[in-house]
Amino acid sequence: MRIATWNINSVRARTERAVGVLDRWDVDVLLLQETKCRPEQFPVESFRDAGYEVAAHGLDQWNGVAIVSRVGIEDLAVGFDGQPAFAKEDDDGALLAAPRLEARAIAATCAGVRVWSLYVPNGRSVDDPHYRYKLDFLARLREDAASALAADPDAQLLLAGDWNVIPEDGDVWDPELFRDGLYASDPERRAFQAFGEAGFVEVTRRAEEAAYTFWDYQRLRFPKNHGMRIDFAWAAPKLASRVTGAHIDRNERKGKGASDHVPVIVDMED
C-alpha cells in the first residue's frame, strides 16, 4: 500500500499535476492540503476518470483538505474532537468576528487504514494570535490522537500533512535564520514531538531522495536549495511496523506551475 501527502496549493490550478503524481508513483491514497476550494468546486471528475474517489472539505478559497483514494473511503470525518476555531482579534485583543472552525482536518478509513489529512495553521509570527491558535491546534490534535491510540493500541492510524513546523535544525537550510522564530520555536517543536511521546512514530525520515519538502517561491529558494522539511506523517506503532520506505518527490517542485511543497510518499506492507 502506498500513501502520499501533499500540500498542493490549489487543487484546481494543479489538477493535471496531481493526476500525474498518482500515476507516476502508483499511489493508493493521496492526502491533500491547501486545496483552496469548496467541495462543489473540487475537480472530482479528473480523479474519477483516473479511478479514484474523492472526499473534500473546504469553506472558501483558503485552507482546504481532501482524501483521494482508489481503495475506498469509509467512515468519513471532518475535523477532530476538540479542534479549535480561529477568532480574529484587533490590536487590543478584542474579537473582530465570531470564531471559525477552519477546513484543516479530514479523516477516512481506506483499506483498513485510518488516515488524517492535516493542514496545521501557519502561526504567522510568534507574537501573533495565529501562533497561539497553532499551538492549541497541535495540542488538541495530540489529545484526540492519543485517546484513539489508548482506546486501540493496535490502531492502523496515520496523521499526515503539512505541519508547518521545522522539528530539527537539519530540516532547514539555515537554522540560525529561524532560531527561536516561527516554525522552529521551542513551543512548536515541543508540540510536534509530543506526538512521539504519545506513542506515534514519524515515518517519513526514511526518505533518501531529498532533505526538504518545501521551497518558497521567493528569492530563488528552490534553485539555491534553500528549503524546509515541514511535511510529515505520524503513524501508530502497529502501522509504523508495516512501513517499508518513504520518498520525497523533489522533481515535482520543478517546472511551470509547481506547488511550493512536494509530495511525500510512504510505502507499507499489506
Side-chain angles (χ1 to χ4, degrees):
M1 189 173 181
R2 176 167 277 178
I3 300 175
T5 179
W6 185 19
N7 180 322
I8 197 169
N9 192 10
S10 178
V11 68
R12 288 179 291 175
R14 298 182 173 85
T15 304
E16 188 173 330
R17 278 183 172 265
V19 173
V21 166
L22 292 172
D23 180 64
R24 185 168 67 252
W25 285 97
D26 195 24
V27 173
D28 293 302
V29 181
L30 176 61
L31 309 176
L32 294 174
Q33 302 87 43
E34 205 172 355
T35 54
K36 293 184 174 180
C37 66
R38 299 186 301 274
E40 64 268 23
Q41 298 172 312
F42 200 99
V44 172
E45 289 302 322
S46 295
F47 294 96
R48 284 180 179 165
D49 290 345
Y52 291 80
E53 298 177 66
V54 174
H57 174 41
L59 302 174
D60 47 34
Q61 73 272 30
W62 309 110
N63 308 320
V65 285
I67 298 171
V68 178
S69 172
R70 68 179 180 188
V71 292
I73 294 177
E74 300 176 345
D75 301 322
L76 184 67
V78 170
F80 53 87
D81 287 346
Q83 181 178 331
F86 178 63
K88 293 183 179 180
E89 303 175 357
D90 63 19
D91 292 338
D92 297 322
L95 293 182
L96 295 174
R100 185 188 191 196
L101 194 64
E102 297 181 318
R104 293 185 175 274
I106 188 171
T109 301
C110 304
V113 178
R114 187 68 175 170
V115 295
W116 278 94
S117 180
L118 300 162
Y119 183 30
V120 175
N122 174 277
R124 299 177 185 169
S125 70
V126 295
D127 56 357
D128 191 283
H130 207 259
Y131 179 79
R132 300 194 300 272
Y133 168 51
K134 177 180 188 175
L135 295 179
D136 192 19
F137 185 98
L138 286 167
R140 299 290 183 85
L141 176 61
R142 177 197 174 279
E143 290 173 4
D144 183 69
S147 295
L149 188 56
D152 180 9
D154 294 330
Q156 301 291 299
L157 177 60
L158 187 73
L159 312 172
D162 176 1
W163 294 77
N164 270 314
V165 177
I166 301 169
E168 302 175 6
D169 285 354
D171 293 330
V172 65
W173 87 93
D174 186 349
E176 290 306 316
L177 185 64
F178 289 82
R179 186 76 62 200
D180 299 323
L182 188 67
Y183 305 115
S185 68
D186 286 342
E188 289 169 283
R189 287 182 166 182
R190 287 196 299 269
F192 182 83
Q193 296 301 339
F195 288 84
E197 296 165 4
F200 288 83
V201 180
E202 207 296 305
V203 293
T204 70
R205 290 288 182 189
R206 308 180 190 201
E208 299 177 355
E209 294 88 348
Y212 308 133
T213 63
F214 167 87
W215 297 261
D216 196 284
Y217 290 126
Q218 307 299 318
R219 302 181 183 179
L220 298 174
R221 293 300 192 201
F222 184 64
K224 295 176 180 177
N225 200 29
H226 289 178
M228 302 190 296
R229 190 173 196 157
I230 57 177
D231 301 86
F232 298 96
W234 286 102
K238 286 293 185 180
L239 184 64
S241 69
R242 294 172 52 190
V243 174
T244 58
H247 315 273
I248 295 174
D249 186 4
R250 189 181 188 277
N251 286 332
E252 184 55 39
R253 183 61 174 79
K254 299 177 181 178
K256 185 178 180 180
S259 172
D260 43 7
H261 293 250
V262 296
V264 179
I265 300 104
V266 176
D267 293 333
M268 59 188 67
E269 298 173 333
D270 291 337

